[in-house]
């Protein structure tokens, strides 16, 4: 009746008796050895609001699994709070944590020979890390997103984490009182849940729903609402059925389903980080998917949702307007989704969406395909001599995604932020932040502090920022990230000098350093790779093994 591989293994001989004894110590009875063992990868922690509300979801999953005739076994996964680490040395551990989480899931599922796994996570790297581990282990699996946060409130305006970073720029520019600044800081995060806009956590949760590895409607639920607990219990029951059918992650995560996920990322105005993470997810699934595929999808999928950071609304507003199923229904009806992809429910995408009603007329969060916010997607893949492997520009919210100007060069984030705060960055400048890539930083930190400060000072559209690091999902403006090859690997970004003319042209998909070839050759002959910033520990291991950002910054690339 059960597909429990451990049960078969244990009964092969008396040599396995100590194995059974360990489980008797955990409360097993003789009948339990015939039940499927389901891992519950619990990302609960008190480190961040994104994860501090996960324990009740883990408890609901355990109870539902027991009622469905399975044996749940809980293990932990770590998290790094991007919002708390932003602008500090701790931010270098954020992308590293994606790999650590993937290793945790793979190790526990494989080492304990589990029959399935339910992964619960909240903060940004919890999702790609969890799914990468699920794909490596490849036992029946489902992802449960911890849920979004509710908005804060001050002076009649909704607040979120990005409100604080932008307030820093406004306050230092003399555009905000100290009282207002303090109130925004205290009120922006009212409780548990992940950052509220279409930032990285909500981008990845929405993409997972489109991918078919999470339940319909689950990606935009608020952590504090009871429906999140109810949906977790449903996920547990769906997983037990998937174990019976032997429906595995690699059956679900295919080239076509990844294209569905990327289509939803474009339609919702999602985070640049999704490019990096889906390259890594495709690698874990052994699915052919390249950085150029994002540009292919961008050109045919419009932006439908008016969501922060460049729009007006938050994930809770999207949920009230019909959630990701409403977005997917629009895309499916327009021929922009693969409706025949199988999902964790056992149904196809088209079958899951069959009863989704047409877009409601009393909402303006989601626009129809016939009248989109933008005719093409917002995550453009630029190439040129500054980034021959490709880089990512987020072009929504910009009046003109083209600029050129003198380079203002910084070899770290802190000096760049200091220059902004001191008023030394002017309209027309192109800031170049380098040695912040996977190997160089190491860990490819996010640049929300400088970009938030630029927005707060009113320079978001008039100052460019180019980096081999990453951006927060909350970033918008004339920004280009993931430049590859990175500076530490000898990419041309390492040779840019103060005052060089840099061209950013999203219309031509171009990132170009306007310097003569012979001068570039002269500079290259003089360049030497800097010494590693870390020589021991997890950051050193990441720096030694990380691939280019254009391949997802994975650690096991061929």
């Amino acid at each position: 009746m059960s597909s429990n591989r451990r049960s078969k293994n244990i009964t092969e001989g008396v040599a396995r008796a100590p194995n059974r004894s360990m489980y008797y110590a955990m409360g097993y009875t003789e009948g339990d050895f015939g039940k499927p063992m389901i891992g519950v990868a619990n990302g609960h922690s008190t480190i961040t609001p994104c994860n501090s509300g996960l324990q009740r979801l883990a408890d609901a999953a355990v109870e539902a699994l027991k009622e469905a005739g399975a044996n749940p076994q809980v293990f932990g996964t770590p998290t790094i709070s991007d919002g708390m680490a932003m602008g500090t040395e701790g931010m270098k551990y954020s992308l590293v944590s994606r790999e650590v989480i993937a290793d945790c899931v793979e190790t526990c599922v494989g080492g304990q020979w589990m029959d399935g796994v339910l992964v619960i996570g909240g903060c940004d790297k919890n999702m790609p890390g969890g799914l990468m581990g699920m794909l490596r282990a490849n036992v029946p699996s489902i992802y449960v997103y911890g849920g979004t946060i509710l908005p804060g409130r001050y002076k009649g305006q909704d607040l979120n984490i990005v409100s604080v970073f932008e307030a820093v720029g406004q306050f230092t520019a003399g555009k905000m009182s100290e009282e207002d600044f303090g109130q925004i800081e205290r009120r922006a995060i009212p409780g548990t849940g992940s950052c509220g806009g279409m930032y990285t956590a909500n981008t990845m949760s929405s993409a997972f729903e489109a991918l078919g590895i999470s339940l319909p409607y689950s990606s935009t639920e608020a952590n504090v609402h009871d429906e999140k607990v109810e949906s977790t219990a449903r996920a547990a029951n769906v997983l037990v059925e998937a174990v019976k059918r032997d429906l595995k992650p690699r059956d679900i995560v295919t080239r076509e389903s990844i294209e569905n996920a990327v289509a939803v990322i474009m339609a919702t105005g999602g985070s640049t980080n999704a490019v990096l993470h889906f390259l890594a997810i495709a690698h874990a699934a052994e699915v052919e998917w390249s950085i150029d595929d994002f540009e292919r999808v961008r050109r045919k999928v419009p932006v439908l949702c008016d969501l922060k950071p460049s729009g007006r609304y938050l994930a809770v507003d999207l949920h009230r307007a019909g959630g990701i199923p409403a977005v997917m229904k629009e895309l499916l009806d327009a021929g922009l989704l693969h409706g025949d992809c199988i999902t964790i429910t056992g149904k196809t995408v088209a079958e899951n969406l069959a009863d989704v009603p047409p877009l409601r007329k009393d909402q303006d969060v989601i626009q129809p395909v016939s009248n989109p916010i933008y005719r093409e997607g917002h995550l453009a893949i630029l190439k040129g001599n500054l980034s021959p492997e490709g880089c990512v520009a987020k072009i929504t919210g910009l009046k003109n995604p083209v600029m050129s100007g003198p380079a203002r060069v910084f070899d770290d984030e802190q000096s760049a932020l200091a220059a902004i705060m001191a008023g030394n960055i002017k309209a027309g400048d192109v800031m170049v932040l380098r040695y912040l890539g996977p190997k160089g930083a190491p860990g490819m930190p996010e640049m929300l502090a400088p970009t938030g400060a630029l927005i707060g000072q009113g320079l978001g559209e008039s100052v460019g920022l180019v980096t081999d690091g990453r951006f927060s999902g909350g970033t918008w403006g004339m920004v280009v990230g993931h430049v590859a090859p990175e500076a530490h690997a000898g990419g041309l970004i390492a040779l840019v000098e103060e005052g060089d003319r840099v061209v950013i042209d999203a219309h031509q998909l171009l990132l170009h350093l306007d310097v003569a070839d012979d001068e570039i050759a002269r500079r290259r002959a003089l360049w030497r790779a800097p010494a590693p910033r870390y020589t021991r520990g997890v950051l050193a291991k990441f720096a030694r093994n990380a691939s280019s950002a254009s391949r997802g910054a994975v650690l096991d690339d061929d």
Side-chain angles (χ1 to χ4, degrees):
M1 175 180 174
S2 167
S3 64
N4 192 315
R5 297 173 297 164
R6 176 182 295 93
S7 178
K8 181 180 178 181
N9 191 38
I10 289 172
T11 56
E12 286 177 349
V14 293
R16 300 296 184 183
N19 225 335
R20 293 170 65 100
S21 295
M22 298 292 281
Y23 286 98
Y24 283 129
M26 298 294 292
Y28 267 51
T29 63
E30 185 67 28
D32 287 326
F33 291 102
K35 298 177 181 178
M37 177 184 284
I38 306 295
V40 178
N42 183 8
H44 172 81
S45 74
T46 58
I47 289 171
T48 170
C50 307
N51 289 55
S52 61
L54 299 187
Q55 187 58 50
R56 68 183 189 133
L57 305 186
D59 293 342
V62 166
E63 188 60 34
L65 288 167
K66 289 178 179 177
E67 291 178 0
N71 276 321
Q73 298 294 337
V74 181
F75 61 92
T77 60
T79 195
I80 298 296
S81 170
D82 290 28
M84 292 175 174
M86 200 74 68
T88 74
E89 197 72 3
M91 188 65 216
K92 295 178 179 179
Y93 288 87
S94 172
L95 184 59
V96 174
S97 75
R98 183 189 74 180
E99 304 302 315
V100 175
I101 293 164
D103 290 349
C104 285
V105 173
E106 179 190 4
T107 299
C108 288
V109 172
Q112 297 305 124
W113 218 334
M114 293 174 177
D115 299 302
V117 63
L118 182 150
V119 182
I120 306 173
C123 204
D124 298 1
K125 309 312 173 293
N126 294 184
M127 276 161 284
L131 180 52
M132 288 161 66
M134 289 155 59
L135 286 162
R136 293 178 195 168
N138 202 34
V139 299
S141 309
I142 194 167
Y143 200 96
V144 172
Y145 176 46
T148 189
I149 203 168
L150 296 177
R153 199 78 178 158
Y154 181 59
K155 289 189 172 179
Q157 299 294 317
D158 282 349
L159 300 174
N160 62 88
I161 184 61
V162 177
S163 306
V164 183
F165 284 93
E166 293 181 359
V168 171
Q170 292 175 291
F171 178 62
T172 57
K175 298 178 180 180
M176 178 179 290
S177 71
E178 186 172 357
E179 171 64 19
D180 285 346
F181 179 60
Q183 289 294 333
I184 290 171
E185 181 184 33
R186 286 188 286 273
R187 295 169 181 260
I189 310 296
T192 58
S194 297
C195 298
M198 193 47 67
Y199 310 143
T200 303
N202 286 326
T203 296
M204 295 307 295
S205 70
S206 299
F208 280 16
E209 184 177 323
L211 193 65
I213 207 72
S214 296
L215 293 187
Y217 295 101
S218 66
S219 66
T220 51
E221 295 167 336
N223 174 262
V224 296
H225 289 165
D226 289 343
E227 67 176 342
K228 187 74 254 180
V229 178
E230 295 161 4
S231 134
T232 302
R234 285 197 303 275
N237 281 282
V238 166
L239 177 57
V240 172
E241 292 304 310
V243 170
K244 293 175 182 177
R245 294 193 305 272
D246 200 29
L247 177 60
K248 300 184 178 75
R250 293 197 188 193
D251 300 323
I252 295 168
V253 181
T254 64
R255 181 172 172 82
E256 290 73 23
S257 69
I258 290 175
E259 186 164 318
N260 285 348
V262 173
V264 166
I265 290 164
M266 296 296 177
T268 56
S271 167
T272 54
N273 282 310
V275 175
L276 191 76
H277 296 327
F278 267 94
L279 288 168
I281 288 164
H283 177 77
E286 299 184 86
V287 168
E288 183 181 343
W289 187 267
S290 76
I291 194 168
D292 295 321
D293 286 310
F294 293 93
E295 182 60 29
R296 176 177 58 82
V297 176
R298 182 190 76 83
R299 288 177 176 271
K300 66 180 181 178
V301 177
V303 177
L304 302 181
C305 299
D306 190 8
L307 298 169
K308 290 182 181 296
S310 59
R312 293 178 292 167
Y313 294 109
L314 297 170
V316 289
D317 302 308
L318 174 60
H319 191 63
R320 286 190 288 265
I324 293 302
V327 178
M328 292 180 69
K329 181 78 167 183
E330 276 293 302
L331 296 176
L332 181 68
D333 290 347
L336 296 172
L337 288 186
H338 299 282
D340 57 349
C341 290
I342 195 69
T343 73
I344 191 62
T345 65
K347 298 179 180 179
T348 65
V349 166
E351 289 170 337
N352 282 340
L353 299 175
D355 296 328
V356 174
L359 285 181
R360 297 202 332 255
K361 303 297 185 183
D362 62 343
Q363 61 83 33
D364 59 355
V365 182
I366 310 168
Q367 297 299 316
V369 169
S370 60
N371 185 33
I373 297 172
Y374 300 99
R375 292 287 174 186
E376 293 183 338
H378 64 300
L379 299 180
I381 304 302
L382 311 187
K383 292 188 176 182
N385 67 351
L386 256 179
S387 189
E389 292 181 15
C391 56
V392 186
K394 193 173 189 178
I395 59 176
T396 47
L398 298 175
K399 296 182 179 70
N400 181 22
V402 177
M403 77 172 296
S404 66
R408 304 298 309 279
V409 182
F410 303 90
D411 289 348
D412 60 76
E413 178 188 3
Q414 288 70 32
S415 60
L417 181 60
I420 298 169
M421 295 302 200
N424 294 333
I425 303 300
K426 308 299 183 184
D429 288 344
V430 178
M431 301 182 72
V432 177
L433 281 63
R434 64 191 180 189
Y435 295 105
L436 295 165
K439 292 180 177 296
M444 209 179 174
E446 294 180 351
M447 300 293 110
L448 181 56
T451 59
L454 287 172
I455 297 293
Q457 292 194 359
L459 298 172
E461 295 204 51
S462 59
V463 169
L465 195 152
V466 176
T467 181
D468 51 8
R470 297 184 295 123
F471 292 115
S472 163
T475 293
W476 69 278
M478 181 57 79
V479 297
V480 181
H482 309 193
V483 169
E486 63 175 289
H488 190 84
L492 185 57
I493 190 172
L495 307 183
V496 180
E497 294 184 358
E498 191 82 6
D500 286 348
R501 183 170 175 268
V502 175
V503 179
I504 305 169
D505 189 335
H507 293 318
Q508 296 188 61
L509 303 177
L510 179 67
L511 181 66
H512 180 71
L513 178 65
D514 192 11
V515 172
D517 290 345
D518 58 348
E519 173 60 15
I520 290 174
R522 184 192 69 81
R523 296 179 189 180
R524 186 169 298 285
L526 297 172
W527 179 82
R528 298 292 181 271
R533 298 179 194 262
Y534 291 85
T535 58
R536 302 289 295 274
V538 69
L539 290 178
K541 287 189 285 187
F542 188 90
R544 283 195 296 269
N545 294 298
S547 73
S548 168
S550 66
R551 296 183 61 81
V554 297
L555 303 187
D556 58 351
D557 201 11
D558 295 335

